[in-house]
Amino acid sequence: MLFEQVSKDIVAAMKAKDKVRLEALRNIKKVFIEAKTAPGANDSLDDAAALKILQKLAKQGHDSASLYKSQNREDLAEAELAQVAVIESYLPKPLSVEEIEAIVKEIISETGASSIKEMGKVMGAANKKLAGQADGKTISDIVKKLLA
């Protein structure tokens, strides 16, 4: 499980005196613990939920880095991107648009969806199947294109 892996990696980062990695891992663990203790979580965090959290943290990091760059704060942008690199090391390799499209086509044929009205059904299945491998906007754009 990702939660246990992050905990082990925190110890390794401490021993290696890798401050950037340690800070990023501690932030990940904090968010994981918050998710585990949230109402309705039953004190558990499965890997699918953990991957969604990691994707969100990586996206936030990229957004922050862009903001820092626009304000000519390269030092802060570099620090943010170093954290994002640690976060992304736990995410599966992102799929190409062609690979996502093939999976979405498969889901559309499985669900029998034939119009844009059934987008929700396809999106639900696609988000589960592609968790951590594609962002929601890309999936949504592909589903819209294929159902239109």
Side-chain angles (χ1 to χ4, degrees):
M1 276 191 64
L2 279 170
F3 185 82
E4 285 84 15
Q5 185 61 48
V6 168
S7 297
K8 288 178 192 169
D9 291 348
I10 286 174
V11 174
M14 282 194 217
K15 288 179 180 174
K17 295 186 179 4
D18 186 342
K19 288 182 179 172
V20 173
R21 188 167 178 77
L22 181 61
E23 186 181 339
L25 291 170
R26 282 183 171 158
N27 185 37
I28 291 169
K29 187 167 183 180
K30 177 186 78 84
V31 178
F32 279 0
I33 289 171
E34 288 170 358
K36 277 179 82 165
T37 58
N42 300 328
D43 201 35
S44 67
L45 181 70
D46 64 348
D47 279 356
L51 283 173
K52 273 191 170 171
I53 290 169
L54 290 173
Q55 274 185 307
K56 184 177 177 185
L57 289 174
K59 183 180 182 320
Q60 287 172 344
H62 282 294
D63 293 347
S64 295
S66 296
L67 183 64
Y68 291 142
K69 282 182 182 174
S70 72
Q71 296 172 347
N72 294 321
R73 291 298 310 265
E74 288 298 322
D75 55 330
L76 295 175
E78 284 178 30
E80 195 68 43
L81 290 173
Q83 301 266 329
V84 169
V86 173
I87 295 166
E88 288 178 338
S89 71
Y90 290 90
L91 291 172
K93 185 182 155 290
L95 297 174
S96 69
V97 174
E98 293 79 23
E99 291 170 313
I100 297 168
E101 204 167 295
I103 292 170
V104 170
K105 282 179 183 174
E106 192 179 293
I107 292 168
I108 288 172
S109 68
E110 286 171 10
T111 58
S114 58
S115 72
I116 199 77
K117 290 178 183 172
E118 297 168 290
M119 184 175 172
K121 187 173 21 172
V122 176
M123 283 298 296
N127 282 331
K128 274 185 187 158
K129 194 164 190 170
L130 297 168
Q133 298 176 304
D135 69 291
K137 179 159 179 24
T138 305
I139 297 170
S140 173
D141 291 345
I142 291 171
V143 171
K144 280 180 191 165
K145 183 178 92 175
L146 293 174
L147 288 177

